[in-house]
Amino acid sequence: MSDYYTEQLVKRKTPGWTYLARGLMIAATVLLAVLTLMLPIAFIVLVLWCVAEYFLFRSMSVEYEYLYINGSLDVDKIMSRSKRKHVFDMTVAELEVLAPAGAPELRQYQNIRGVHYDSGNPDAKVYEMIVMKNGDKKKIIFEPNSVILEGMRMMAPRKVFL
């Protein structure tokens, strides 16, 4: 028996504000280093700032991995290509509708706030998925490839609109 398996990696576009934030953090580090020369007690603040800066820099680079296996979709968030966090999972049985963003099939779900697992690129083909989890409807915004879409369409042809 063969399994329907595919995975996809989507890199989130780095927002412009992160470059400004990185520049300000580096400037603050230099300022703290100069201050350390004048006040030795500032060394402790410099070390704490450098540790916080390390974690902030890591959180600014984000990728999403979609893993689709036989009607089950898992989404993981990968930060700085090293730390992985599981953020979402669903089965096709929980799926209500999957359609391209702005499709007429999604009109009745406009008041549901969506969670973005996409690249943020304006040219990307973005899909919206409405899922019923634990009695709550959730809107997931993501960028599946054609293999994931076909797999979901095979499992739930009346719920998937391409």
Side-chain angles (χ1 to χ4, degrees):
M1 181 177 184
S2 68
D3 289 334
Y4 197 90
Y5 170 87
T6 187
E7 61 184 71
Q8 177 186 358
L9 193 65
V10 174
K11 182 165 176 44
R12 186 179 75 181
K13 180 182 171 191
T14 306
W17 65 267
T18 59
Y19 298 113
L20 177 65
R22 287 178 182 179
L24 291 174
M25 286 190 286
I26 291 171
T29 303
V30 171
L31 183 65
L32 280 172
V34 170
L35 188 62
T36 301
L37 296 175
M38 292 182 238
L39 297 170
I41 193 80
F43 180 73
I44 296 169
V45 176
L46 176 65
V47 170
L48 292 174
W49 176 255
C50 288
V51 169
E53 189 175 34
Y54 170 75
F55 287 109
L56 286 172
F57 270 108
R58 288 184 60 188
S59 68
M60 290 181 184
S61 173
V62 175
E63 298 174 332
Y64 295 106
E65 181 184 52
Y66 312 141
L67 179 63
Y68 182 76
I69 304 173
N70 293 336
S72 175
L73 178 70
D74 293 327
V75 179
D76 290 343
K77 180 179 181 179
I78 303 169
M79 293 168 283
S80 191
R81 295 186 180 176
S82 61
K83 186 179 177 187
R84 176 181 298 265
K85 182 179 178 185
H86 184 74
V87 292
F88 177 74
D89 60 19
M90 56 89 55
T91 62
V92 175
E94 298 168 329
L95 178 68
E96 288 210 4
V97 66
L98 170 64
E105 292 83 10
L106 297 167
R107 267 192 221 126
Q108 62 183 338
Y109 304 106
Q110 286 178 347
N111 59 348
I112 300 174
R113 186 171 178 184
V115 181
H116 287 267
Y117 301 127
D118 62 335
S119 68
N121 187 353
D123 299 331
K125 183 74 172 164
V126 178
Y127 285 80
E128 293 182 9
M129 175 171 53
I130 307 299
V131 178
M132 180 67 88
K133 299 238 355 144
N134 301 327
D136 293 331
K137 289 184 182 177
K138 296 182 180 182
K139 182 189 293 186
I140 306 301
I141 302 161
F142 71 128
E143 295 176 29
N145 59 17
S146 60
V147 179
I148 293 175
L149 290 171
E150 273 306 310
M152 293 182 111
R153 188 172 188 158
M154 285 181 3
M155 298 293 286
R158 294 183 183 181
K159 298 177 181 179
V160 178
F161 301 94
L162 304 176

